Amino acid sequence: MDKPEHSSESEFRYESVVKFIDELIDSGALSAGQKVPSLRKVSKARGVSISTALHAYRMLESQGVLEAQPQSGFYVSAKSAVQVEKPSVMSRSTRVRKVSTGAQVANMFELAGDTSMAPLGCAIPGPDLLATSQLDKFLVRMTRTQGKNANTYSPPRGEQVLRAAIARRSINWGHAVSADDILITCGCTEALHLALKAITKPGDTIAVESPGYFGFFPVLQALHLTVTEIPADSVEGVSVSALEVAIEKNNIKACLFSSAFNNPLGCLTSEDKKMQVLSLLNKHRIPLIEDDVYGDIFFGRERPRPYSAMENAKNVIYCSSFSKTVAPGYRIGWVATTGNMEKLVAEKYATTLCGPTLTQVAMGEYLNAGAYDNHLRGLRKSFAANIAIVSKTIAETFPAGTRISRPEGGFVLWVELPDNINARAVFDLALKDNICFAPGDLFTTSGNYQSCMRISCGYSWNSSIERAIWKLGALVLSMMAQE
Ligand SMILES: Cc1ncc(COP(=O)(O)O)c(C=O)c1O
């Protein structure tokens, strides 16, 4: 097959065909089993070459959206994931709650490193997708050339080479910061911890999205903060009206929201909505801590702009890391802020003094070499393909009535089981079969989302993942039969 040229222009053209077909299916103009426009027609309609159109159709085929029929053409897949309804369970209460994470969150973190499990649990990219060997080369080179120099403390703010490289990248997310506005941390978790510590005191109430990443809760608990959960929708993102009500009712001291692709929903809060959230927060002088760990993993054409890049951003602390794209094991994250740096640095040296030096230098050199963007391009395609095939297989193997999110980025799926099937009960059975996923009740302090599960699509598709999903489907079906 002729591959289209690899210019950014042709990339754009091939994506325009993918988007065009996706929209035809989404709008109902094309439904399951129907033939899609021929390559000749679509290439004419979209002004692309036949090979670019074929490349787009092959991509849609690998995502399970289209099926090729020999001698006949391409058809909308009968089991295309887009036929499945999106999740609908939303939190209703914005009550303030104490955070007390128990054994269940701890157990989930223990399971993260258990390689005997089918990897549908923690949101960690598979080693082949991380392309670790590329980064390793920089680490080896740095050990050889700078090993002695690097075996010392780095400045509390982090190595200059890395901070400068991140500052250069900040142009990509539309909010250029300088190296001095960046503090290197031990992953995004420490970034969030330090940011919260710098601007809150014990007993304060923090607003988080619901459902929201379960790793926030131990941080809030350790800092003796209480929480109010703001409902988020699997398509629209965080609810501005619910935030408004929560602000009126509760004395919210800070918000902790995802910048893009909320974990577990994968949704993207639109720029309009981000502006509305910010004007509400500005009005009430409430600072926002944003978590952008998934921002580089977008499936659309452009990287979503975080809150801090919005025109009306005033008091926003930006946190992120390289854990979801290239190096979860390096534990390199960062905070970017102009207003709170002194406090943050003081918190940093009061907790860990500084981060490991060698890995920071290696990461800085890796970024400077320019390989990261190329890596990200491949990674986004791999995650999009993983999500498509996992959604399709869930649609085929889980009972009717199962709802599945359609993430716009990241690599997790949020699945809602029918008939109020208890996902934790499924989880307990699945673990006995060495299958891990994240039960929905982890993503809240409210006891909500009992019938939901988060499935990680971070690993490349293989027969053991396929078997695991079939098994989960069978477990859910057997639980339904017992009801
Ligand atoms: C939304 C979100 N924030 C933060 C983290 C933790 O990031 P790190 O490993 O860099 O500490 C995760 C990991 O799953 C996450 O999903």
mmCIF file of all heavy atoms in Angstrom, residues 155-173:
data_model
loop_
_atom_site.group_PDB
_atom_site.id
_atom_site.type_symbol
_atom_site.label_atom_id
_atom_site.label_comp_id
_atom_site.label_asym_id
_atom_site.label_seq_id
_atom_site.Cartn_x
_atom_site.Cartn_y
_atom_site.Cartn_z
ATOM 1 N N PRO A 155 19.649 21.750 42.622
ATOM 2 C CA PRO A 155 18.992 22.866 43.317
ATOM 3 C C PRO A 155 17.548 22.445 43.658
ATOM 4 O O PRO A 155 16.967 21.649 42.912
ATOM 5 C CB PRO A 155 18.984 23.988 42.287
ATOM 6 C CG PRO A 155 19.859 23.543 41.171
ATOM 7 C CD PRO A 155 20.036 22.082 41.250
ATOM 8 N N PRO A 156 16.964 22.949 44.750
ATOM 9 C CA PRO A 156 15.601 22.527 45.136
ATOM 10 C C PRO A 156 14.604 22.660 43.993
ATOM 11 O O PRO A 156 13.680 21.870 43.855
ATOM 12 C CB PRO A 156 15.248 23.464 46.287
ATOM 13 C CG PRO A 156 16.547 23.894 46.857
ATOM 14 C CD PRO A 156 17.530 23.901 45.722
ATOM 15 N N ARG A 157 14.801 23.656 43.141
ATOM 16 C CA ARG A 157 13.875 23.867 42.028
ATOM 17 C C ARG A 157 14.066 22.854 40.900
ATOM 18 O O ARG A 157 13.216 22.696 40.044
ATOM 19 C CB ARG A 157 14.161 25.257 41.452
ATOM 20 C CG ARG A 157 12.926 26.060 41.224
ATOM 21 C CD ARG A 157 13.340 27.385 40.710
ATOM 22 N NE ARG A 157 13.289 28.352 41.777
ATOM 23 C CZ ARG A 157 13.013 29.630 41.573
ATOM 24 N NH1 ARG A 157 12.795 30.066 40.352
ATOM 25 N NH2 ARG A 157 12.979 30.459 42.566
ATOM 26 N N GLY A 158 15.220 22.193 40.887
ATOM 27 C CA GLY A 158 15.480 21.187 39.851
ATOM 28 C C GLY A 158 16.559 21.631 38.893
ATOM 29 O O GLY A 158 16.968 22.799 38.883
ATOM 30 N N GLU A 159 17.027 20.693 38.072
ATOM 31 C CA GLU A 159 18.123 20.958 37.140
ATOM 32 C C GLU A 159 17.705 21.962 36.065
ATOM 33 O O GLU A 159 16.642 21.826 35.443
ATOM 34 C CB GLU A 159 18.568 19.649 36.476
ATOM 35 C CG GLU A 159 19.367 18.739 37.378
ATOM 36 C CD GLU A 159 20.667 19.364 37.864
ATOM 37 O OE1 GLU A 159 21.370 19.988 37.050
ATOM 38 O OE2 GLU A 159 20.974 19.226 39.062
ATOM 39 N N GLN A 160 18.593 22.923 35.831
ATOM 40 C CA GLN A 160 18.310 23.989 34.866
ATOM 41 C C GLN A 160 18.010 23.438 33.473
ATOM 42 O O GLN A 160 17.073 23.871 32.799
ATOM 43 C CB GLN A 160 19.512 24.950 34.830
ATOM 44 C CG GLN A 160 19.478 25.987 33.724
ATOM 45 C CD GLN A 160 18.413 27.064 33.945
ATOM 46 O OE1 GLN A 160 17.941 27.259 35.074
ATOM 47 N NE2 GLN A 160 18.022 27.745 32.867
ATOM 48 N N VAL A 161 18.792 22.429 33.020
ATOM 49 C CA VAL A 161 18.617 21.918 31.662
ATOM 50 C C VAL A 161 17.195 21.376 31.473
ATOM 51 O O VAL A 161 16.567 21.556 30.425
ATOM 52 C CB VAL A 161 19.690 20.840 31.319
ATOM 53 C CG1 VAL A 161 19.594 19.630 32.243
ATOM 54 C CG2 VAL A 161 19.572 20.371 29.885
ATOM 55 N N LEU A 162 16.658 20.753 32.503
ATOM 56 C CA LEU A 162 15.315 20.182 32.411
ATOM 57 C C LEU A 162 14.255 21.284 32.499
ATOM 58 O O LEU A 162 13.291 21.312 31.728
ATOM 59 C CB LEU A 162 15.109 19.145 33.534
ATOM 60 C CG LEU A 162 13.729 18.512 33.604
ATOM 61 C CD1 LEU A 162 13.368 17.803 32.297
ATOM 62 C CD2 LEU A 162 13.659 17.509 34.761
ATOM 63 N N ARG A 163 14.463 22.211 33.424
ATOM 64 C CA ARG A 163 13.467 23.289 33.569
ATOM 65 C C ARG A 163 13.397 24.121 32.287
ATOM 66 O O ARG A 163 12.319 24.500 31.838
ATOM 67 C CB ARG A 163 13.796 24.161 34.788
ATOM 68 C CG ARG A 163 13.505 23.427 36.085
ATOM 69 C CD ARG A 163 13.642 24.287 37.307
ATOM 70 N NE ARG A 163 14.997 24.646 37.602
ATOM 71 C CZ ARG A 163 15.489 25.883 37.586
ATOM 72 N NH1 ARG A 163 14.714 26.898 37.294
ATOM 73 N NH2 ARG A 163 16.747 26.113 37.874
ATOM 74 N N ALA A 164 14.568 24.361 31.681
ATOM 75 C CA ALA A 164 14.575 25.151 30.436
ATOM 76 C C ALA A 164 13.874 24.375 29.320
ATOM 77 O O ALA A 164 13.125 24.948 28.520
ATOM 78 C CB ALA A 164 16.012 25.484 30.043
ATOM 79 N N ALA A 165 14.102 23.056 29.266
ATOM 80 C CA ALA A 165 13.471 22.249 28.208
ATOM 81 C C ALA A 165 11.943 22.236 28.395
ATOM 82 O O ALA A 165 11.185 22.327 27.423
ATOM 83 C CB ALA A 165 14.029 20.828 28.225
ATOM 84 N N ILE A 166 11.501 22.143 29.637
ATOM 85 C CA ILE A 166 10.042 22.149 29.890
ATOM 86 C C ILE A 166 9.479 23.531 29.553
ATOM 87 O O ILE A 166 8.410 23.642 28.948
ATOM 88 C CB ILE A 166 9.730 21.752 31.357
ATOM 89 C CG1 ILE A 166 10.121 20.291 31.601
ATOM 90 C CG2 ILE A 166 8.252 21.969 31.682
ATOM 91 C CD1 ILE A 166 10.036 19.836 33.050
ATOM 92 N N ALA A 167 10.216 24.567 29.927
ATOM 93 C CA ALA A 167 9.750 25.932 29.625
ATOM 94 C C ALA A 167 9.578 26.101 28.110
ATOM 95 O O ALA A 167 8.597 26.685 27.649
ATOM 96 C CB ALA A 167 10.736 26.955 30.174
ATOM 97 N N ARG A 168 10.519 25.549 27.339
ATOM 98 C CA ARG A 168 10.382 25.654 25.871
ATOM 99 C C ARG A 168 9.134 24.927 25.394
ATOM 100 O O ARG A 168 8.414 25.387 24.525
ATOM 101 C CB ARG A 168 11.627 25.076 25.178
ATOM 102 C CG ARG A 168 12.719 26.108 24.966
ATOM 103 C CD ARG A 168 13.796 25.607 24.020
ATOM 104 N NE ARG A 168 14.540 24.480 24.573
ATOM 105 C CZ ARG A 168 15.512 24.615 25.491
ATOM 106 N NH1 ARG A 168 15.856 25.812 25.920
ATOM 107 N NH2 ARG A 168 16.133 23.561 25.966
ATOM 108 N N ARG A 169 8.844 23.786 26.006
ATOM 109 C CA ARG A 169 7.662 23.017 25.607
ATOM 110 C C ARG A 169 6.364 23.724 25.988
ATOM 111 O O ARG A 169 5.311 23.459 25.417
ATOM 112 C CB ARG A 169 7.660 21.634 26.262
ATOM 113 C CG ARG A 169 8.739 20.717 25.778
ATOM 114 C CD ARG A 169 8.433 19.280 26.131
ATOM 115 N NE ARG A 169 7.232 18.794 25.474
ATOM 116 C CZ ARG A 169 7.151 18.488 24.190
ATOM 117 N NH1 ARG A 169 8.203 18.592 23.416
ATOM 118 N NH2 ARG A 169 6.009 18.071 23.667
ATOM 119 N N SER A 170 6.444 24.607 26.993
ATOM 120 C CA SER A 170 5.206 25.244 27.468
ATOM 121 C C SER A 170 4.561 26.073 26.360
ATOM 122 O O SER A 170 3.358 26.336 26.391
ATOM 123 C CB SER A 170 5.467 26.099 28.711
ATOM 124 O OG SER A 170 6.213 27.247 28.381
ATOM 125 N N ILE A 171 5.336 26.437 25.343
ATOM 126 C CA ILE A 171 4.767 27.154 24.195
ATOM 127 C C ILE A 171 3.695 26.274 23.539
ATOM 128 O O ILE A 171 2.655 26.742 23.104
ATOM 129 C CB ILE A 171 5.871 27.504 23.178
ATOM 130 C CG1 ILE A 171 6.835 28.479 23.844
ATOM 131 C CG2 ILE A 171 5.306 28.073 21.892
ATOM 132 C CD1 ILE A 171 8.176 28.580 23.174
ATOM 133 N N ASN A 172 3.938 24.955 23.526
ATOM 134 C CA ASN A 172 2.978 24.025 22.903
ATOM 135 C C ASN A 172 1.629 24.041 23.600
ATOM 136 O O ASN A 172 0.617 23.717 23.008
ATOM 137 C CB ASN A 172 3.471 22.570 22.973
ATOM 138 C CG ASN A 172 4.736 22.368 22.195
ATOM 139 O OD1 ASN A 172 5.120 23.238 21.427
ATOM 140 N ND2 ASN A 172 5.385 21.237 22.387
ATOM 141 N N TRP A 173 1.643 24.287 24.907
ATOM 142 C CA TRP A 173 0.338 24.289 25.567
ATOM 143 C C TRP A 173 -0.218 25.700 25.752
ATOM 144 O O TRP A 173 -1.139 25.942 26.493
ATOM 145 C CB TRP A 173 0.300 23.423 26.835
ATOM 146 C CG TRP A 173 1.111 23.813 28.027
ATOM 147 C CD1 TRP A 173 0.755 24.697 28.987
ATOM 148 C CD2 TRP A 173 2.363 23.267 28.453
ATOM 149 N NE1 TRP A 173 1.721 24.759 29.967
ATOM 150 C CE2 TRP A 173 2.712 23.882 29.665
ATOM 151 C CE3 TRP A 173 3.237 22.313 27.922
ATOM 152 C CZ2 TRP A 173 3.887 23.592 30.347
ATOM 153 C CZ3 TRP A 173 4.404 22.022 28.599
ATOM 154 C CH2 TRP A 173 4.720 22.658 29.790
#
